[in-house]
Amino acid sequence: MQDLLQLEVHDLEVMVLTGIYSEETHLPQPLRVSITADLDCLPHYGPDTPLSASKNYLDLKHAATAALPEGRHFKLIEAVADHICETLFLQDRRVRRVRVKLVKLAIAEAGESIGVTLVRHRR
């Protein structure tokens, strides 16, 4: 079994232009974004291990916020998740797998979580 390092950012709220219905297509919708990225890891992390031996978890946050093209409409939230995965793969060759969970907050009626989870592996 191979060791791996999982970086995580959970429950970011991001406004994204997404949807297929007319009432969804002109205004951004709030999405709750959670990301887990699997990376190759060192055999041991000591007290003086530099950040370059890992990945800055703020890169995950960036992929779900600033890296999403402003003004771009995504018909499906699956496309938003895919964009986040591709951004992380392009950022760092050590990223082996990305899991993105998106919850559409605007359609919840009683606090339920309605959305998708996409898992992509580096090809």
Side-chain angles (χ1 to χ4, degrees), residues 7-63:
L7 280 90
E8 299 178 317
V9 173
H10 292 283
D11 300 326
L12 291 171
E13 192 169 316
V14 181
M15 298 299 287
V16 180
L17 280 168
T18 185
I20 57 172
Y21 301 111
S22 60
E23 63 271 14
E24 297 178 311
T25 59
H26 62 286
L27 293 173
Q29 291 187 52
L31 299 178
R32 183 178 303 123
V33 181
S34 295
I35 305 168
T36 302
D38 293 354
L39 280 76
D40 295 333
C41 71
L42 297 179
H44 175 73
Y45 291 94
D48 295 327
T49 303
L51 178 58
S52 61
S54 182
K55 180 171 181 53
N56 190 330
Y57 50 83
L58 292 178
D59 291 342
L60 278 65
K61 183 175 180 179
H62 172 82

Side-chain angles (χ1 to χ4, degrees), residues 67-86:
L68 289 175
E70 190 174 333
R72 174 94 186 264
H73 180 264
F74 294 88
K75 286 184 181 179
L76 301 176
I77 61 173
E78 290 87 336
V80 176
D82 207 36
H83 189 279
I84 293 169
C85 290
E86 287 303 313

